[in-house]
Amino acid sequence: MIEVENLEVAFGKGDDRKQVVKSVSFKVAKGETLGIVGESGCGKSTVLRSLAGLDRHWTGRIALAGQDVAKERTKQQFELAQMVFQDPYGSIHPRHRIERVLAELLRAMQRGEGWDRVVPALERVGLPAAFAERFPHELSGGQRQRVAIARALMLAPQILLLDEPTSALDVSVQAEVLNLLSDLREEQQLTYVLVSHDLSVIAHMCDRVLVMKEGVFVDELTPEAFRGGEITQAYSKTLFEASFL
Amino acid sequence: MSNVETLPGRGGFGRLFGRMATTVRLSLSKLSREPLGMVGFIVLAVLVIVAIFAPWIAPYSPTAQNLPQALQAPSWAHWAGTDEFGRDILSRLIHGTRITIQTVLAVTLIVGPVGLIVGVVAGFVGGRTDAILMRATDIVLSFPSLIPALAFAAAMGAGLQTAIIAISLTGWPPIARLARAEALVVRNTDYVAAARLYGASPLRILFLYIAPMCIPSVVVRLTLNMAGIILTAAALGFLGLGAQPPAPEWGAMISNGRKFMLDYWWVAVMPGPAILITSLAFNLVGDALRDLLDPRHVRS
C-alpha cells in the first residue's frame, strides 16, 4: 500500500543544510499498521509529513496504493492518504461549526455542498448528530479528536497517517480513541502509519514497529517482542527501558 | 436520518437569524460586564443618531449668518454661544458630527480592507512578495501622517475628500503589519495544514482560513485608530486643509475661534469637548471590542 525508497529530507541550504531523514526505505501492506517510534527530533514526524504531502523537501520515491506521487500532489493523490494531527485543539478551524469542518473537504474538492455527508461521518466516529451545530471550543479534547478522525475519513482514503493522535489526551480518553481507530481499520480496511513516542500505544496498535534514531531506522520489532521485552538492539533497549521505568 | 432536515447551512433564514440573535445576545451580555465599554458604545450610538438627525435636532441653521447676534456668550438662547458671524455654535457642533463620522467611516472603510489584504497576502505568500509589500509598508510608515496630507491638499486642492484620501494613504501600514503578524501565526496551524491535505486552493485558504482569523484584531485596531483619525482630521481642519468654510468642521471651528480667544473664549473652546468626547468614546469602544473579540487579552 505504501512504498518508500531512499527517502531523504533536508532543510536549509549550504552550511545551514540539515539532513533530518537519511535515506530510509520501508513498505506497508494493505490493512497493516506500522508504528514508528523514536525520541523527539529523530525525524519521525517529518517522514509522516512527507508521506502526507505537507513537506516538499524530500527526495527519493514515495508510492501510495501502487502509484508514484510527486512533491506536488493532485487532488486524487490527496484522497489516497489523510492525516490526523497531534493537537486536537489546533487542528480544527476554531470559527467553523463541526458541520462546516466536515463539509469543507468536499467543497474544497469541488464535490458539491457536502452537508448530507456530515451526519453519517459523525455517527461513524460515535458522535451524536447534534454535534454538527457546535463549535470546536464547545467540545472536549477526545470529541475533537473524533471530529478530526471523521474529517480525515471524509474523502474515504485508504491510508491514515496518525501523528501522535492520543498524546494530547487524557489516559482514559486515549483508550477510547485508540479503540475507535482499531474498529475503523477493521471496518474499512484502512492502512495506518502511526507515529508516537508512547510505547504502550505503539504496542497496542501496531503490527510492526520501526525504531528511528537520528534520521535512520535502527531496528524493526514485532509487538510480541515489545510486550515480552525481548529486545536485542542496543538503542531500542535504551528507549524501551527509559519509557517503562 | 430525519435530523438531516433540521441541519442548517442550506438556506433557512429563520435559523440563520436565530444564530445571529444568539451571537448578539451573548456579546451584549459580555458587554454589560464592561461598564466603561458600554458607556463608549452608548456615546457612540448617540453621536451617530445626532449625525443622522442633525437638521432636526439643531436649533438653528449651521451656516445662516446673523450679524447682530455675533459673539454672544453662552445663554439659554444659544447654549454654546455664537461665533463671529452670529452662527449658533451648538448647531454647528451638531452638524459637525456628520462631517466627523463621515470622515471616520470613509477612512476606516478604505484603510481596513487595504491593510488586511496587503498584510494577509504578505504573511501567507511570504518570500519575495512579503519583502516587497513590507518594504512598501515601511516606506509609507516613515511619513508622519500630516506631511503627505499637506502635499496632497496642495496638489489636489483642500477639501473633505482630499483629507479623507490623505489620511487613508498613511493609515493602512499599521493595519497591514498587524494582519501580517496574525497571518504568520495562522499559516502554520494544523488546521491550515489539514486544509492543504484536502486540496484547498491557496485562495480558499487565504480567504476562508487565514483572513477571518485576522479580522478581529484588525477591527479592534481600526476602532482604536478612529480616535487618531478624528484628531488628524481636526488638525487638517485647523490648518485649513480639511472641510472648507462654511462647513462646520470641528478643527476649522477651533482655528476660527483662535482669533477671538482672549475675549470670546467659547468660540475656540466649544469644539474641544466634542472632539474629546468622540475620541474617548472610540477608544473605550476599541478597548471593549478587544475584550470581546480577542481572547488573548484577558482582563485581570
Side-chain angles (χ1 to χ4, degrees):
Chain A
M1 188 49 88
I2 305 175
E3 280 178 54
V4 175
E5 276 174 28
N6 300 323
L7 180 74
E8 297 200 4
V9 187
F11 298 103
K13 278 179 189 160
D15 291 340
D16 292 334
R17 191 181 147 90
K18 190 165 185 295
Q19 187 143 11
V20 183
V21 179
K22 296 161 191 159
S23 192
V24 298
S25 304
F26 59 92
K27 282 184 186 177
V28 190
K30 187 173 170 60
E32 190 185 20
T33 299
L34 175 75
I36 303 179
V37 288
E39 310 173 40
S40 309
C42 71
K44 54 192 196 306
S45 284
T46 309
V47 170
L48 208 67
R49 290 174 75 89
S50 303
L51 279 177
L54 282 176
D55 266 336
R56 288 166 189 167
H57 301 274
W58 54 272
T59 55
R61 174 172 166 266
I62 295 178
L64 303 175
Q67 186 187 356
D68 277 21
V69 290
K71 292 179 185 97
E72 293 284 340
R73 303 276 166 93
T74 63
K75 287 192 171 174
Q76 284 74 29
Q77 287 168 345
F78 276 129
E79 282 176 42
L80 292 171
Q82 286 286 314
M83 187 158 163
V84 176
F85 294 87
Q86 177 176 7
D87 178 14
Y89 293 89
S91 65
I92 300 175
H93 196 310
R95 312 238 162 177
H96 282 174
R97 288 173 200 274
I98 302 306
E99 55 186 356
R100 181 82 192 277
V101 169
L102 297 176
E104 264 295 299
L105 287 84
L106 299 165
R107 296 172 151 210
M109 285 279 182
Q110 281 148 10
R111 290 222 229 118
E113 291 278 289
W115 299 119
D116 51 328
R117 302 265 301 273
V118 170
V119 171
L122 283 174
E123 281 165 355
R124 190 156 49 198
V125 295
L127 290 176
F131 274 40
E133 286 244 12
R134 300 208 187 169
F135 279 108
H137 64 256
E138 297 168 317
L139 269 55
S140 72
Q143 289 165 340
R144 287 188 203 209
Q145 199 60 304
R146 281 171 190 262
V147 171
I149 293 168
R151 176 177 66 187
L153 292 173
M154 273 309 259
L155 296 171
Q158 303 175 45
I159 301 165
L160 219 49
L161 305 166
L162 308 165
D163 186 5
E164 313 231 14
T166 57
S167 62
L169 305 175
D170 291 342
V171 178
S172 58
V173 184
Q174 279 187 8
E176 279 176 35
V177 170
L178 289 177
N179 289 337
L180 171 70
L181 285 170
S182 303
D183 294 346
L184 286 169
R185 179 180 59 170
E186 271 171 38
E187 266 170 45
Q188 312 197 11
Q189 292 292 303
L190 294 168
T191 307
Y192 287 168
V193 177
L194 171 65
V195 159
S196 183
H197 57 248
D198 187 339
L199 295 186
S200 51
V201 169
I202 293 273
H204 178 71
M205 292 289 291
C206 299
D207 303 316
R208 206 150 53 85
V209 184
L210 292 171
V211 182
M212 197 165 189
K213 188 194 177 193
E214 288 165 10
V216 285
F217 292 134
V218 294
D219 198 6
E220 182 174 337
L221 300 164
T222 59
E224 288 74 35
F226 240 96
R227 287 181 208 116
E230 305 149 19
I231 297 167
T232 46
Q233 207 272 343
Y235 178 71
S236 311
K237 211 164 183 164
T238 334
L239 199 67
F240 185 83
E241 278 162 6
S243 61
F244 282 103
L245 271 181
Chain B
M1 286 224 278
S2 56
N3 43 9
V4 170
E5 271 74 35
T6 65
L7 272 180
R10 273 151 283 171
F13 267 113
R15 184 161 210 102
L16 198 68
F17 190 75
R19 279 181 178 176
M20 277 169 71
T22 319
T23 316
V24 169
R25 208 172 47 240
L26 274 177
S27 314
L28 278 181
S29 79
K30 264 192 195 169
L31 192 63
S32 62
R33 271 172 264 140
E34 297 265 347
L36 265 182
M38 201 69 180
V39 169
F41 271 105
I42 291 170
V43 170
L44 215 57
V46 169
L47 281 172
V48 169
I49 291 169
V50 166
I52 293 172
F53 297 104
W56 293 277
I57 294 174
Y60 299 90
S61 156
T63 48
Q65 303 191 358
N66 184 2
L67 291 175
Q69 294 282 316
L71 297 169
Q72 300 272 315
S75 64
W76 285 114
H78 300 284
W79 287 9
T82 60
D83 66 4
E84 74 271 30
F85 298 112
R87 299 175 293 198
D88 179 49
I89 291 179
L90 182 66
S91 302
R92 286 176 68 73
L93 288 179
I94 288 173
H95 278 266
T97 47
R98 282 193 152 181
I99 296 177
T100 304
I101 300 279
Q102 211 181 320
T103 315
V104 166
L105 279 185
V107 171
T108 304
L109 286 181
I110 298 173
V111 161
V114 170
L116 181 68
I117 289 175
V118 169
V120 164
V121 168
F124 177 61
V125 178
R128 198 160 289 172
T129 318
D130 183 24
I132 291 170
L133 286 176
M134 279 303 116
R135 292 303 79 74
T137 311
D138 287 344
I139 290 169
V140 180
L141 204 57
S142 64
F143 287 111
S145 60
L146 268 179
I147 305 297
L150 287 172
F152 219 71
M156 289 183 52
L160 193 57
Q161 274 98 338
T162 319
I164 289 171
I165 296 172
I167 299 172
S168 306
L169 270 181
T170 51
W172 60 269
I175 308 289
R177 287 197 149 189
L178 181 73
R180 174 177 176 267
E182 294 273 321
L184 282 178
V185 174
V186 178
R187 174 174 88 153
N188 292 326
T189 54
D190 280 347
Y191 64 90
V192 171
R196 287 212 175 92
L197 282 187
Y198 48 77
S201 64
L203 274 183
R204 193 178 180 87
I205 292 180
L206 190 59
F207 286 108
L208 290 183
Y209 289 77
I210 294 183
M213 304 310 291
C214 305
I215 285 175
S217 50
V218 165
V219 166
V220 170
R221 182 64 198 252
L222 279 174
T223 322
L224 291 172
N225 265 6
M226 286 176 180
I229 294 170
I230 292 173
L231 295 180
T232 314
L236 281 176
F238 184 84
L239 294 172
L241 299 168
Q244 292 301 295
E249 207 276 325
W250 293 346
M253 288 168 70
I254 295 182
S255 171
N256 279 342
R258 204 171 36 125
K259 286 173 271 181
F260 319 101
M261 199 152 68
L262 293 180
D263 298 320
Y264 312 103
W265 55 270
W266 56 89
V267 185
V269 164
M270 287 304 174
I275 296 174
L276 171 78
I277 289 171
T278 317
S279 311
L280 188 64
F282 275 115
N283 271 334
L284 291 177
V285 167
D287 272 341
L289 275 182
R290 177 162 58 197
D291 293 342
L292 285 183
L293 298 176
D294 200 339
R296 281 170 304 181
H297 296 270
V298 181
R299 276 271 169 92
S300 50

